[in-house]
Amino acid sequence: MTLLIGHPSFLEHDTGDFHPERADRLRAVTAALADEEFAGLTRLVAPAATIEQLTRVHPRNYVDAILGIRPPEGELVHVDGDTVMSAGSANAARHAAGAVIAAVDGVLSGSTRTAFAAVRPPGHHATPDVPGGFCLFNNVAIGAMHARAAYGLRRVALIDFDVHHGQGTQAVVEPDPDLFYASTHQYPLYPGTGSARERGVAGNVVNVPLAAGSGSAAFRAAWGDRLLPALDDFTPELVMVSAGFDAHRRDPLAQLDVETEDFVWLTEELLAIAGRHARGRLVSVLEGGYDLAALAESVSAHVRALMRA
């Protein structure tokens, strides 16, 4: 069984006209997952994350600052050059983190093996104390810390195939040898981090930067030769995925030229490792993906693979 988690507030996070991280992204995903073939999904409305849950990753003053940004209806506040908040953004961000927490609850309680949190705003660029890259709270890291606090898990892997490096997630993982972070990402590209030399406190960070135009063969080789073996060696108790689909060849913000079938292949490989070490428990969280048709197609293929697990 696969759990699908969302919340109406995600559409109320208004980023303004022509912003790439717009509500139409989630509308496209929601429409695709409304197809009859996805009738077997268990659907859940996300709760709001509590302050305690948010502050396992972010300092209290940061949490209060983000939740306190509530401009009047119709107005926008830029928290950095490309990260925007509207009247509904703080509530959406709280429910986005809550969606991942609910996904973790689902897989660790045994009610489901896999879960997909269809959220916005995304999260992997948010460091503990700095928002950016369209991200406010680091949703996947908050979920990982919840798995530890509520269920006593120790070894959690955070896997990131978004085309942009998740420097926020890496910042949480780097000092903790019982967390693991693996990423492919286009380089050079925002945020300019993710060198292969960045290894974490115990070799628990593995980055494979890829050049523009690398395509399917290089993407699969990076995962098959470097990242998946390292994940296997880590023996995670839970696999969490920052599922960004902006490496797709049709995406307007990057040029990595990955195909939909590559996401399916990688999803199946991650599920196999989760099956070996984590009782099949895998939580996937939506990050990037900015061509609406490619995003809907890729998410559908990814969720279809989760449902087969």
Side-chain angles (χ1 to χ4, degrees):
M1 186 173 74
T2 297
L3 183 62
L4 173 65
I5 307 174
H7 195 271
S9 66
F10 301 154
L11 297 178
E12 297 168 8
H13 169 49
D14 180 12
T15 53
D17 296 338
F18 312 115
H19 195 286
E21 204 297 281
R22 60 201 189 276
D24 283 347
R25 298 178 60 244
L26 200 57
R27 292 190 181 98
V29 167
T30 301
L33 296 180
D35 190 89
E36 180 63 26
E37 73 169 306
F38 298 107
L41 290 168
T42 300
R43 297 169 189 260
L44 180 68
V45 177
T50 67
I51 298 298
E52 179 184 6
Q53 290 164 341
L54 295 172
T55 54
R56 291 185 184 126
V57 169
H58 301 285
R60 179 62 189 260
N61 62 347
Y62 176 89
V63 170
D64 289 345
I66 293 296
L67 295 181
I69 299 174
R70 296 178 183 267
E73 198 70 41
E75 296 186 15
L76 303 178
V77 171
H78 281 76
V79 297
D80 76 356
D82 56 15
T83 306
V84 182
M85 293 184 69
S86 65
S89 297
N91 190 45
R94 196 162 179 172
H95 281 90
V100 183
I101 289 165
V104 169
D105 285 340
V107 302
L108 294 184
S109 69
S111 64
T112 186
R113 280 169 60 88
T114 60
F116 182 68
V119 306
R120 62 184 294 272
H124 71 149
H125 293 307
T127 69
D129 56 1
V130 180
F134 317 152
C135 303
L136 301 174
F137 296 133
N138 195 304
N139 304 317
V140 70
I142 290 166
M145 294 308 184
H146 176 69
R148 287 175 148 188
Y151 296 91
L153 263 62
R154 186 167 65 94
R155 299 175 67 77
V156 182
L158 297 95
I159 307 304
D160 193 336
F161 58 76
D162 190 283
V163 81
H164 303 94
H165 180 245
Q167 88 281 17
T169 307
Q170 181 174 306
V172 174
V173 170
E174 278 178 326
D176 189 332
D178 290 325
L179 295 177
F180 176 84
Y181 178 76
S183 174
T184 47
H185 43 274
Q186 184 176 321
Y187 186 87
L189 194 67
Y190 177 89
T193 55
S195 164
R197 296 187 299 273
E198 298 167 15
R199 299 285 295 150
V201 71
N204 57 322
V205 170
V206 187
N207 288 309
V208 180
L210 298 170
S214 288
S216 298
F219 180 81
R220 293 198 187 202
W223 286 100
D225 297 344
R226 295 274 309 281
L227 298 168
L228 293 171
L231 172 62
D232 216 357
D233 289 344
F234 178 73
T235 63
E237 298 171 277
L238 173 65
V239 176
M240 302 190 67
V241 181
S242 277
F245 299 97
D246 38 6
H248 197 283
R249 64 179 176 81
R250 297 203 301 269
D251 198 274
L253 297 194
Q255 304 82 34
L256 210 50
D257 294 345
V258 169
E259 302 286 349
T260 302
E261 293 76 15
D262 300 318
F263 297 129
V264 176
W265 169 82
L266 180 53
T267 303
E268 291 172 344
E269 293 292 319
L270 293 171
L271 286 166
I273 291 175
R276 285 196 289 277
H277 304 298
R279 304 180 197 170
R281 302 179 299 201
L282 185 147
V283 169
S284 179
V285 183
L286 182 62
E287 299 282 2
Y290 305 99
D291 178 276
L292 298 185
L295 176 62
E297 176 186 294
S298 299
V299 168
S300 296
H302 177 64
V303 172
R304 202 175 289 125
L306 295 180
M307 293 174 72
R308 292 196 297 267

